[in-house]
Amino acid sequence: MSQISVRVNDKGYQSDVEPRLLLVYYLRDVLGLTGTHIGCDTSQCGACTVIVDGKAVKSCTMFAVQANGASITTVEGLAKDGSLHPVQEGFWEEHGLQCGFCTPGMLMTALQILERNPNPSEAEIRHGLEGNLCRCTGYQNIVKAIQYAAKKMQEIKA
Amino acid sequence: MAVSHIFGASVRRREDPRLISGQATYVDDVKLPGTVHAVFVRSPHAHARIRRIDVSKAQSAPGVLAVLTGQDLVGKVGNIPCAWLIPGADLKLPDHPPLARDVVRFVGDGVAVVVAETRDQAGDAALLVDVDYEVLGAIVDQEKATQAGAPQLHENVPSNIAFRWPLRGGDIQKAFQDAEVTVKQRLINQRLVPNAMETRGAIAQYHQANGDLTIWVTSQNPHIHRVLMSGVLGIPEHRLRVIAPEVGGGFGSKIHHYPEEAVVGFLAKMLLRPVKWSEDRRENYVATIHGRDHITDIEIAAKRDGTILGIRGQTYANLGAYLSTASPGIPTILHGLMLTGCYKIPAIDYVVYGVLTNTTPVDAYRGAGRPEATYIIERMVDLLAAELKMDPVEIRRKNFIGADEFPYTVASGITYDSGNYSAALDKALSMIDYTEFRAEQARARQQGRYLGIGFSTYVEICGLGPSQVAGAVGFQGGLWESSIVRVHPTGKVVLYSGSSPHGQGEETTFAQIIAEELGVPIEDVDVVHGDTNAIPMGWGTYGSRTTAVGGSSAVLAARKVKEKARRIAAHMLEAAVEDILFDQGKFHVRGVPERSKTIQEVALAAHLAWSLPKDMEPALEASAFFDPSNFVYPFGTHICTVEVDPQTGQVKLLRYVAVDDCGPVINPKIVDGQVHGGVVQGVAQALWEAAVYDANGQLLTGSLMDYALPKASDVPAIETSRTETPSPVNPLGLKGIGETGTIASTPAVVNAVIDALSPLGVRHIDMPLWPEKIWRVMAEKGV
């Protein structure tokens, strides 16, 4: 067992973890944050994407011990004071989800896309989503959701 | 209907707040105190005899509570049943034990299960289960499997032929005698892996005191799971509670009752601890059903003017190693009967061989039999047009069933409910600007560029279906749906639905139906589904039946509620019932709109029951069971344009237009979403996806690294539009939309690519149209 200390959604945690424990299992099984999903075992689907120290990371590809000292945001940490983050709002407004399973990962990736490029083109959004798979939407409304969020975030900044 | 018209509005989905905030509960999110974890040991061989299984090392591994093999389950867990026993096909039913007993028949067949305190411990111990196999010859090709000398999977299935399903209608001999032209083609509809983003899983809890077993399972139909599991586990139906919580996509793959679900249920009872199993993705690739996998030889007969006279041929449908829950019905009833598509084809002669092979079982995958039928007829119509040098649009129009000819009985014997195929085609042609595209294509050809346009004018059968027909075709269940509408004292409404949506948005669209019918705000309506202890009996969500059948039962229940409320309102207003009118949630006396009672006031009066009409029961709720008089037949035209790169063989999708007709639309945004997703799944079959086995039965495409699921950058935006032709078979005229995209799109894309390559004399290339394949064909033709 190794001891780690992490901040997840602005809350500090200290845990003893097995060295082989993947970050996604740590979040889901140890911290009870089941919003982050597991969709594959080869780091293709992106359902488990979370933000680790500002970077979108597939949490099935990282050991919990590697997150020692890190600051992590999961889907549960997106809304602030009861109001949705613009990316969440975009997915809701534009019907960017159906079964919802890929959605948490999509939201975190969307956040990263918009942080790197506040005004992305459709092609840039589609490129940015390459690490996340969705079987329901055909991606069309996910793209629209991110465009909605981009506009909203720029309005907030302005 | 009320003036506000929430029916038809693109309201935001009511299921979304929990899904976008990480607060939804999928099966793997269900955490019960004391839960232990099951991991299955699976066969690495496609066909082998089990000589011996040594579980001793696994049993003594840390944390292990139990290790069971197939033999240990004999007499405890029954065989996994097949529930679609098609008649007239000499159907053979091989045993499907929950874990293999003597022989494993596909890579992934379960041989043992290990239960431990943690999932990792169970996984570690599973590696210690030592199975001594005697490897047998394997067969993966369904045609070869029927030939002499092929390895035999089951003793009671000679030549591996589980059924032979003949279909005849009209005079096929005359059709081919009268033919001025015939076109023949072999068409391969390759095997696909459904790949719902949530893999399967189950968690079971046994309550010893009263003998109740509760199981949360990734299911599209909790009541079907309950009735099948009741038989398999020997637990009385009323002691079994099946909960489908949030379900992360199904596409057909979560209809079926699988061995793992039964085993987990049994283990919970045996160990008196909650037992959980979560499928890995790599497990999902081998242990969850696959789809399609047809080899078809087909021939079409026509006059020189393009009039189609008949179609004949045969299909070898690969069913995998065992008969899954619905598998015999998919390549037959849902496939063969639709083979003539939207055309007046007077004669059909078709036979389907259902063949068992050493592969993962094949069953319903989005569209389930209809994509295969549409692919055949839409490819053949294009091949015929090419043979006759006719425009693919012209030949389609010439053979369409006319808008004034419905209901129309086709050669296979089924009767299409309603349609207007030309209207959808016209709309799609104008959206794509057909004339301009042909001009552009001609210019491009001058420059050595390969542009193509492909059509798919489809019709499909869904809204399953009349129960009487279900019985006649051997489906071991009813196909009606049910709803309870309960109005609470304050006028808030809960709809308990027997349907089981898992992403299609019926928590929203059903609430729209109820809100419209009762004139209450949609915020005042809640929709409950998925828990057999909470909802009335229903047959679940598949075959694009939820809205057409379940939605119909919802509106009928709401109408019953409204009728009772009208009688109470008449009593309250001291007026005759026939003088009470209802508008926007208010009952008023004819001609005196100010004398009125809101439905909320009536709801309170109904519950207080201080003064009700004589002999009326208190409260305000009603249940309705809806069994449709026919299936529904949505239709439309999909058009795709492509450019093929002669350097690489790469197909670039230029535009994709989808005009669909699903009758009146409850929520346009949700319907568009269904079409987008369906189209991309169908496009993916045409261009990328294929489950590939080697000759030994190893799945070469066994992970997301090897199986080409479409990414956001692979697909263009889909341009959607609609025509609206109501169905006469249900109260709101609704037709299904969940599968049309997958059914329509595959041939549209293939037709477009072949059109692009037609100057080279290319007639056909089998899917998936991988760049390498196209490059080779083009190279052969000297490009």
Side-chain angles (χ1 to χ4, degrees), chain A residues 39 93 98 130 135 139-140, chain B residues 13 669 689 710 713 718:
Chain A
E93 289 291 337
Q98 290 178 28
E130 277 184 348
R135 194 58 155 165
Y139 303 102
Q140 189 152 334
Chain B
R13 290 206 322 171
K669 206 169 229 179
E689 290 184 29
S713 52
I718 316 294

Side-chain angles (χ1 to χ4, degrees), chain B residues 439-475:
Chain B
E440 189 191 339
Q441 182 183 43
R443 287 192 297 273
R445 280 176 181 167
Q446 299 287 319
Q447 302 156 7
R449 288 169 57 215
Y450 296 85
L451 264 59
I453 186 165
F455 297 87
S456 174
T457 50
Y458 76 96
V459 58
E460 66 123 334
I461 182 172
C462 69
L464 317 180
S467 299
Q468 206 181 353
V469 178
V473 299
F475 183 78

Side-chain angles (χ1 to χ4, degrees), chain B residues 481-483 485 497 499 548-558 623-626 731:
Chain B
E481 274 306 326
S482 65
S483 291
V485 170
S497 173
S499 300
V549 189
S552 296
S553 74
V555 76
L556 292 180
S623 63
F625 298 84
F626 179 70

Side-chain angles (χ1 to χ4, degrees), chain B residues 130-182:
Chain B
D130 186 13
V131 188
D132 184 8
Y133 293 103
E134 175 194 343
V135 177
L136 305 172
I139 184 80
V140 300
D141 179 296
Q142 63 264 48
E143 254 183 325
K144 290 179 186 153
T146 65
Q147 291 163 6
Q152 299 292 295
L153 269 79
H154 300 272
E155 267 175 28
N156 67 336
V157 187
S159 303
N160 299 313
I161 298 174
F163 63 79
R164 181 187 180 277
W165 184 78
L167 171 67
R168 276 189 206 96
D171 189 342
I172 197 72
Q173 275 192 325
K174 185 175 185 307
F176 276 82
Q177 270 163 15
D178 293 350
E180 292 163 358
V181 58
T182 60

Side-chain angles (χ1 to χ4, degrees), chain B residues 6-160:
Chain B
I6 188 93
F7 187 109
S10 280
V11 297
R12 293 189 302 188
R13 290 206 322 171
R14 318 192 60 220
E15 35 282 84
D16 288 358
R18 65 177 186 264
L19 295 167
I20 56 177
S21 58
Q23 290 172 43
T25 305
Y26 297 85
V27 169
D28 197 35
D29 302 335
V30 175
K31 303 207 186 278
L32 304 174
T35 297
V36 294
H37 299 265
V39 165
F40 287 83
V41 178
R42 298 186 182 280
S43 169
H45 303 293
H47 200 192
R49 192 170 302 285
I50 299 170
R51 283 204 195 105
R52 190 182 52 85
I53 304 179
D54 182 356
V55 300
S56 55
K57 275 189 197 151
Q59 251 162 353
S60 56
V64 170
L65 294 143
V67 184
L68 301 179
T69 67
Q71 294 295 349
D72 297 327
L73 297 180
V74 174
K76 292 172 178 144
V77 181
N79 283 344
I80 303 301
C82 173
W84 198 336
L85 311 179
I86 54 169
D90 194 17
L91 178 67
K92 310 285 198 303
L93 290 171
D95 281 352
H96 185 187
L99 292 174
R101 286 171 195 148
D102 310 306
V103 177
V104 289
R105 295 183 174 86
F106 67 98
V107 169
D109 208 352
V111 290
V113 61
V114 178
V115 187
E117 294 288 345
T118 72
R119 194 169 184 234
D120 283 343
Q121 287 173 333
D124 291 347
L127 298 172
L128 302 175
V129 174
D130 186 13
V131 188
D132 184 8
Y133 293 103
E134 175 194 343
V135 177
L136 305 172
I139 184 80
V140 300
D141 179 296
Q142 63 264 48
E143 254 183 325
K144 290 179 186 153
T146 65
Q147 291 163 6
Q152 299 292 295
L153 269 79
H154 300 272
E155 267 175 28
N156 67 336
V157 187
S159 303
N160 299 313

Side-chain angles (χ1 to χ4, degrees), chain A residues 127-150:
Chain A
H127 178 69
L129 289 172
E130 277 184 348
N132 292 70
L133 296 174
C134 169
R135 194 58 155 165
C136 295
T137 64
Y139 303 102
Q140 189 152 334
N141 288 344
I142 293 177
V143 173
K144 281 165 86 174
I146 296 173
Q147 287 168 333
Y148 176 103

